[in-house]
Amino acid sequence: ERRERKRKLSKEMAEKASKELEKMQLKEKADEKYKEWLQKKRAEEAEKKKKEKEKEKERAAELQEKRTRSEKIFKEWLQNSRNKPQLALNGYGFPHGKSTGLY
């Protein structure tokens, strides 16, 4: 009877130990998968930030190009407007050659 009890006890202990070992292995596996997932997520975030920075640089470059183009066009317009002849006034009651409503 003692031997049988010892055998049962040792069998239970072995089962407990194997269960504990299994639990530890599962936990280690889960931790490893979590670390891989976290690393992947961080890499995706870094890539996303990099793309956003590139887009922002492109927008800034386009805006700068647009400004320089508009400044150039404005300067050309200013230069051309100086060269245009002034309209001569046509006399009293007829500004710009049109009647003001008087007969």
Side-chain angles (χ1 to χ4, degrees):
E1 212 174 284
R2 282 184 184 175
R3 286 182 194 166
E4 200 172 307
R5 276 191 208 162
K6 277 188 178 181
R7 201 170 0 126
K8 277 187 178 180
L9 189 63
S10 65
K11 193 176 181 182
E12 287 176 8
M13 294 288 274
E15 285 178 11
K16 271 188 179 179
S18 66
K19 284 182 182 179
E20 285 292 321
L21 185 64
E22 238 180 86
K23 278 185 183 178
M24 286 179 65
Q25 287 174 346
L26 283 173
K27 189 175 181 180
E28 285 176 9
K29 207 173 191 180
D31 286 343
E32 189 177 315
K33 282 190 176 187
Y34 173 74
K35 285 179 184 178
E36 287 175 8
W37 175 83
L38 190 63
Q39 188 177 12
K40 184 180 175 184
K41 204 68 169 167
R42 285 181 180 163
E44 286 176 1
E45 284 292 321
E47 187 68 28
K48 189 176 178 182
K49 284 183 182 181
K50 187 179 176 183
K51 285 182 180 180
E52 284 179 12
K53 281 184 181 180
E54 286 177 8
K55 283 184 181 180
E56 189 62 36
K57 282 182 183 179
E58 286 177 13
R59 278 190 227 130
E62 285 177 11
L63 189 62
Q64 184 65 29
E65 185 180 329
K66 199 173 185 180
R67 276 195 189 131
T68 54
R69 212 176 332 133
S70 60
E71 284 178 12
K72 182 183 173 188
I73 290 170
F74 175 73
K75 286 179 183 176
E76 287 176 5
W77 173 82
L78 197 60
Q79 202 66 19
N80 290 339
S81 68
R82 286 182 186 160
N83 295 340
K84 287 184 180 178
Q86 293 288 331
L87 292 174
L89 298 176
N90 289 336
Y92 187 75
F94 293 96
H96 304 294
K98 294 181 182 177
S99 175
T100 58
L102 294 175
Y103 294 104

